[in-house]
Amino acid sequence: MQRFYHVFWLFIAVAYAPWVKADFSEQPLHHFFNSRLLKANEAKLNLNYIGSVEYGLSENLEVGTSVLLSIGSIPNFLLKHRMFILGPTETSFTSFTLIFPGQYIGGKRFTGSASAQGVVTSYDVNSELSLNVGPMHAYSLLNTKNQSAGFGDVRTQVELEVYAALVGLDYYLSSNWGVTAFVLIPFYANLNEIGDFGDANASLFPNLTSYEQDNLVLFVSMTRTWEQFNFEFGVVNFAKTTFPYLAAYWRI
Amino acid sequence: MPHFLSLSLVCLLSSCGASTIPAGPIRARVVTADAQGFYPNKVVEFKYLQDVRHVDGVIAVMRGQSVLNLDAPDSDQISGDPNKIFVKNGSQVHTDTFVDQHNVINAKNFDSLAMLSTYYAFEQIVDFWITNYDFTLQEIGKFNIYYDPQVQTKVDSATATITQRLNASYFPGLGDLFVWKTSRLEDIPFKMNPAVLGHEFGHKIFDIRFAHKSANFVYGQGASVNSLIQLKGINEGLADFMSWLFIQNVTLFTRSLDVEAFQDRIVPVAWTSASLLKDPSICVGSFYCKGSVLNSALHELSLAQNMSPLKVGTAMLQALPKFASDWQRYLSSDNFDYFYLLNRIANELAGNEKTLACTIFKKWFDDSINQAGLAKCL
C-alpha cells in the first residue's frame, strides 16, 4: 500500500508539472472500446501489459500488434476501421485476434485462435463527454493435445463464445486530463468442449436477467496527456477480482 | 404448387424414406468382433428384431437423445423411475438403411450400423442365457438400450450437457443398458464389442438373480462401506466371468481399449487376494482388481478336468439368490467378504467337484478373512 502512495504522489507531481502543455482536442482518447482512430501515418507505441504498436494506414484504417505477445510466439493483430460518421456519431469496427500455432500453456500444447471484435459507436454529447456503445463479441477455438497415462495422445477442443453489450464514456476533465470508463455486459455465452473422453456444452448465461457484478467487466481509468506522451492508470474488475491497469503511450 | 413439385422431385431422388424391408427373417450386415478377436463385417440373421427402422424387437428397444439428470439425489437414482432419473427419457431412434440385391439390409451410416450391431450382439447374449441357463424372455424382460445418452448437471446458474464417451454401462433399478458415444481412443467401438456388452449384460443377470431387479437391494441401507466395496468387486468380477462364459475369450475386451486397467482384468491375474491386500499398487483397477481374482478362480474351475463353464456358470447362478440372503444378513459387517459367495457356489457342487472348487477358491482367496470364511468349505 505504501508503495502505491509513493507512485501516486510521484504521478501527481509529474502531472501538474509547470512544463505541461497538451490538448485532447487535437487527439481525443484512443482505445479499443471507442470509435476513435489514429490519424493517417500516426503511430502509437503503448507500454501496457501487452506492449502494443498501432499505426494509422489512412484516416479510416489502422492496424497494430502486440509486440510482447509476438515475442511470446503468439502472432496477433489489431484492426480498427472507421465505418461511417453521422452528425455527432462516429462508428468503427474494432478487433483483436490472437493465433496459437502450438504454444505450451500450463504444460498443454494449444493450437487455435482467440479474437474479440465489436462495432462501437461514439456519440459526442458535448465537447467534454463522449458516450461509447455497441455490441462486442469474443470467440476462441482452442485445440489441446496432451499425453494421458495409458491413453496416448488425448485431444480436446474448447470453443467459447461470448456476446456482450458495451456501455462506456470518455470524459475530458480538462485539456490534458481524461477519464475512460466502460462496462461490458454479457448477454450470451456458450462453452463447447469436445474431447476423446466426452463432449460438453454449457450455456453460461441462461438467465439473462440475473446480472451480477461477477458477470460484468468494469473498467475505469484516468489519462494524462503531454502532447505526444500519455500516461494512463486505472482498474479493471472482472470475475470478483480487481486488477490495476497502467499504460504509458506515445502518439507520434 | 411449385413447392409441391420440388418436394416430389426430392422424393424421387431420395425415395422419401427407408427402403422396403423384405418379408421373412431380417438379414442385415453388421460388424462384430468374433471369439478370435477378428472384427468382421458379416451378414447375420436377426431372431428378435422386428422393426429395423426404429431398432425395436422382442428383447429390447433402442432409445436415442436421452438425458440423465446427474443432479438427481441418490434415492431418485436407485428408484427405477425414469421420470426421476432422466431429464429426457429419450425417443425413438431412426436407422437409415438400404436393401441390396441379396435382400440384405445395409446401414447407410455409422450410427445405423452401430445400432444394428449392438442389437445383434444383445440378441446373441440373451439367446446364450436362454439356451444354456434356462432364462426366459419373461424373466429378463424387455429392456431399453440407450444409444449415445447425455447427462445434464447445473453449475451455478449454467446448465451443462455432457456426452460421455468411452464406455458402456448397466443401470441398476432401471434394468437398462447404456452404450455411450464412441471415442477416437476406442479401436473396436465398445458398442460393437460383444465381450464388453456381455460384461454389461452380466450385471443385468446379477441384478435379476441377486438383487431381484432392485437397485435399493444392492445399495441397501445399513451396508458398511467395506461391504459395498466387496459387493461392487463381486459384481464386476462376476460380470467379467459371465462375459467369458458367453464369448469364451479372455482378451477380447482389450481390443476396444488396450490400457493398463483393462490389461489387469485379463484372467488369470498375477495376484491373489492376499498379495493384492499387501500391495494394492500391483493393479490399477481398485475394486475391479479383487473382482478379477474371483473371475480367475471361476475361470480356473471352469477349465479344470471334469468341469466345464456350463457347470460353474450354473452353480454360480444357483448360488446367487442364496448369496443374496447372506448379503441381507451380513451387509452391516465390516468383515463381509467374498467367502459368502464362494461357499454358496461350492455348495452347489458335490463330491470331487466341490472339493476342487474349495481348493481353487482357497488358493486365490488366501487372505486371513477369506481363509477363515472358507474353513468349512471342504
Side-chain angles (χ1 to χ4, degrees):
Chain A
M1 200 60 177
Q2 199 174 11
R3 183 177 295 173
F4 170 78
Y5 282 117
H6 286 157
V7 173
F8 179 75
W9 287 117
L10 178 66
F11 172 76
I12 293 294
V14 171
Y16 286 93
W19 46 266
V20 169
K21 52 172 186 176
D23 197 342
F24 272 125
S25 63
E26 286 296 310
Q27 46 179 37
L29 286 163
H30 170 267
H31 53 81
F32 190 79
F33 297 97
N34 68 12
S35 68
R36 312 304 181 193
L37 266 70
L38 298 174
K39 296 188 182 81
N41 300 318
E42 185 184 4
K44 180 181 174 184
L45 172 63
N46 195 347
L47 297 182
N48 57 7
Y49 291 126
I50 60 171
S52 60
V53 177
E54 291 152 69
Y55 181 73
L57 286 176
S58 71
E59 287 295 321
N60 295 321
L61 184 64
E62 70 177 57
V63 292
T65 188
S66 159
V67 178
L68 290 182
L69 291 176
S70 293
I71 290 170
S73 302
I74 303 174
N76 64 90
F77 52 91
L78 278 154
L79 188 140
K80 212 166 181 184
H81 166 56
R82 181 180 288 119
M83 298 166 71
F84 47 82
I85 297 174
L86 284 173
T89 68
E90 177 185 28
T91 301
S92 298
F93 171 77
T94 179
S95 82
F96 181 48
T97 303
L98 299 162
I99 295 173
F100 299 92
Q103 279 73 22
Y104 282 90
I105 301 171
K108 289 182 181 174
R109 186 170 185 268
F110 282 86
T111 56
S113 65
S115 65
Q117 49 274 318
V119 175
V120 182
T121 297
S122 296
Y123 169 65
D124 293 328
V125 178
N126 53 43
S127 61
E128 293 162 349
L129 177 65
S130 280
L131 299 180
N132 304 311
V133 294
M136 304 297 291
H137 173 239
Y139 178 80
S140 74
L141 182 67
L142 296 174
N143 299 288
T144 66
K145 193 161 85 171
N146 61 313
Q147 290 277 317
S148 176
F151 290 99
D153 281 345
V154 172
R155 298 188 296 199
T156 307
Q157 184 183 79
V158 180
E159 184 184 25
L160 175 66
E161 185 165 34
V162 182
Y163 284 91
L166 166 73
V167 179
L169 59 84
D170 290 318
Y171 184 65
Y172 301 98
L173 292 166
S174 68
S175 60
N176 43 32
W177 274 103
V179 175
T180 296
F182 66 80
V183 56
L184 286 167
I185 307 163
F187 56 87
Y188 172 83
N190 202 63
L191 180 70
N192 242 324
E193 184 175 333
I194 301 169
D196 287 331
F197 294 110
D199 307 342
N201 178 284
S203 182
L204 298 177
F205 297 94
N207 187 351
L208 300 183
T209 58
S210 69
Y211 288 119
E212 297 169 3
Q213 195 193 329
D214 300 350
N215 293 342
L216 308 178
V217 178
L218 298 161
F219 180 87
V220 181
S221 76
M222 291 188 75
T223 302
R224 177 67 164 93
T225 183
W226 295 268
E227 294 186 331
Q228 292 162 328
F229 176 70
N230 298 264
F231 184 77
E232 184 180 6
F233 66 102
V235 289
V236 185
N237 183 279
F238 174 60
K240 300 180 185 175
T241 312
T242 301
F243 307 93
Y245 178 79
L246 291 172
Y249 58 91
W250 285 262
R251 294 175 65 166
I252 305 159
Chain B
M1 185 59 88
H3 291 298
F4 175 74
L5 286 176
S6 29
L7 189 64
S8 303
L9 183 62
V10 171
C11 285
L12 194 66
L13 295 171
S14 68
S15 306
C16 273
S19 53
T20 310
I21 304 298
I26 292 172
R27 294 170 70 232
R29 193 175 296 278
V30 301
V31 285
T32 175
D34 63 16
Q36 284 71 45
F38 295 112
Y39 189 47
N41 174 333
K42 63 178 182 180
V43 176
V44 298
E45 189 171 302
F46 283 85
K47 185 173 180 181
Y48 299 114
L49 183 65
Q50 295 166 319
D51 180 350
V52 174
R53 176 76 169 149
H54 302 119
V55 196
D56 192 357
V58 175
I59 58 161
V61 58
M62 199 158 274
R63 297 181 74 84
Q65 297 184 314
S66 63
V67 183
L68 280 161
N69 181 8
L70 206 60
D71 301 325
D74 289 349
S75 56
D76 285 354
Q77 298 275 5
I78 63 172
S79 67
D81 181 353
N83 293 323
K84 293 178 178 175
I85 293 168
F86 290 95
V87 178
K88 280 195 283 186
N89 190 16
S91 53
Q92 268 186 339
V93 296
H94 296 88
T95 56
D96 289 318
T97 56
F98 67 93
V99 180
D100 65 19
Q101 69 271 33
H102 305 294
N103 270 351
V104 172
I105 296 162
N106 289 263
K108 287 183 180 175
N109 54 50
F110 172 80
D111 285 319
S112 300
L113 181 64
M115 283 191 255
L116 291 175
S117 302
T118 302
Y119 201 96
Y120 178 72
F122 279 124
E123 278 203 357
Q124 297 289 296
I125 294 164
V126 168
D127 230 21
F128 168 80
W129 289 104
I130 289 173
T131 306
N132 297 288
Y133 295 96
D134 297 329
F135 276 85
T136 62
L137 285 174
Q138 194 178 12
E139 185 178 13
I140 292 169
K142 186 172 177 177
F143 54 93
N144 294 299
I145 304 166
Y146 289 94
Y147 187 85
D148 287 359
Q150 294 182 305
V151 295
Q152 198 173 86
T153 184
K154 287 198 170 176
V155 183
D156 295 330
S157 61
T159 302
T161 306
I162 301 157
T163 306
Q164 187 188 336
R165 292 179 195 265
L166 214 64
N167 211 349
S169 44
Y170 173 73
F171 205 112
L174 274 180
D176 292 330
L177 290 124
F178 289 68
V179 286
W180 303 87
K181 195 164 179 142
T182 302
S183 167
R184 188 188 62 90
L185 300 172
E186 292 167 39
D187 293 331
I188 296 173
F190 277 13
K191 56 183 60 148
M192 294 180 184
N193 188 331
V196 172
L197 301 178
H199 168 94
E200 298 309 334
F201 201 84
H203 287 308
K204 188 168 178 66
I205 297 290
F206 184 80
D207 201 19
I208 292 169
R209 286 291 165 92
F210 171 79
H212 309 292
K213 302 185 181 180
S214 164
N216 198 35
F217 185 83
V218 178
Y219 303 109
Q221 278 193 336
S224 69
V225 174
N226 172 68
S227 298
L228 288 171
I229 292 171
Q230 302 306 331
L231 192 66
K232 279 183 181 178
I234 288 169
N235 198 344
E236 294 301 337
L238 288 182
D240 276 351
F241 177 64
M242 287 189 250
S243 172
W244 175 77
L245 287 177
F246 164 62
I247 204 73
Q248 298 280 305
N249 184 313
V250 296
T251 58
L252 188 57
F253 57 88
T254 63
R255 301 296 175 99
S256 283
L257 197 60
D258 197 9
V259 296
E260 196 178 347
F262 271 28
Q263 289 285 351
D264 281 349
R265 286 164 65 183
I266 297 174
V267 291
V269 292
W271 54 88
T272 63
S273 64
S275 59
L276 183 66
L277 195 64
K278 191 177 173 188
D279 180 12
S281 68
I282 56 177
C283 167
V284 297
S286 176
F287 53 82
Y288 282 85
C289 300
K290 197 165 171 182
S292 293
V293 177
L294 172 62
N295 187 17
S296 299
L298 296 174
H299 183 253
E300 182 178 333
L301 181 60
S302 300
L303 298 179
Q305 202 170 14
N306 299 324
M307 294 299 289
S308 70
L310 185 64
K311 272 186 189 173
V312 179
T314 303
M316 173 206 63
L317 289 172
Q318 287 170 341
L320 279 179
K322 294 161 190 167
F323 172 57
S325 62
D326 293 335
W327 168 252
Q328 277 183 305
R329 264 182 92 180
Y330 302 111
L331 56 82
S332 62
S333 163
D334 287 332
N335 287 330
F336 184 89
D337 220 308
Y338 285 51
F339 64 85
Y340 288 110
L341 173 67
L342 299 171
N343 279 325
R344 291 294 186 180
I345 294 173
N347 285 337
E348 295 301 327
L349 302 166
N352 290 339
E353 291 176 355
K354 183 180 179 184
T355 306
L356 179 64
C358 291
T359 306
I360 290 173
F361 292 163
K362 282 183 175 179
K363 184 186 89 176
W364 284 99
F365 289 89
D366 53 350
D367 61 287
S368 57
I369 290 176
N370 280 302
Q371 286 289 304
L374 288 167
K376 294 176 185 171
C377 186
L378 284 175

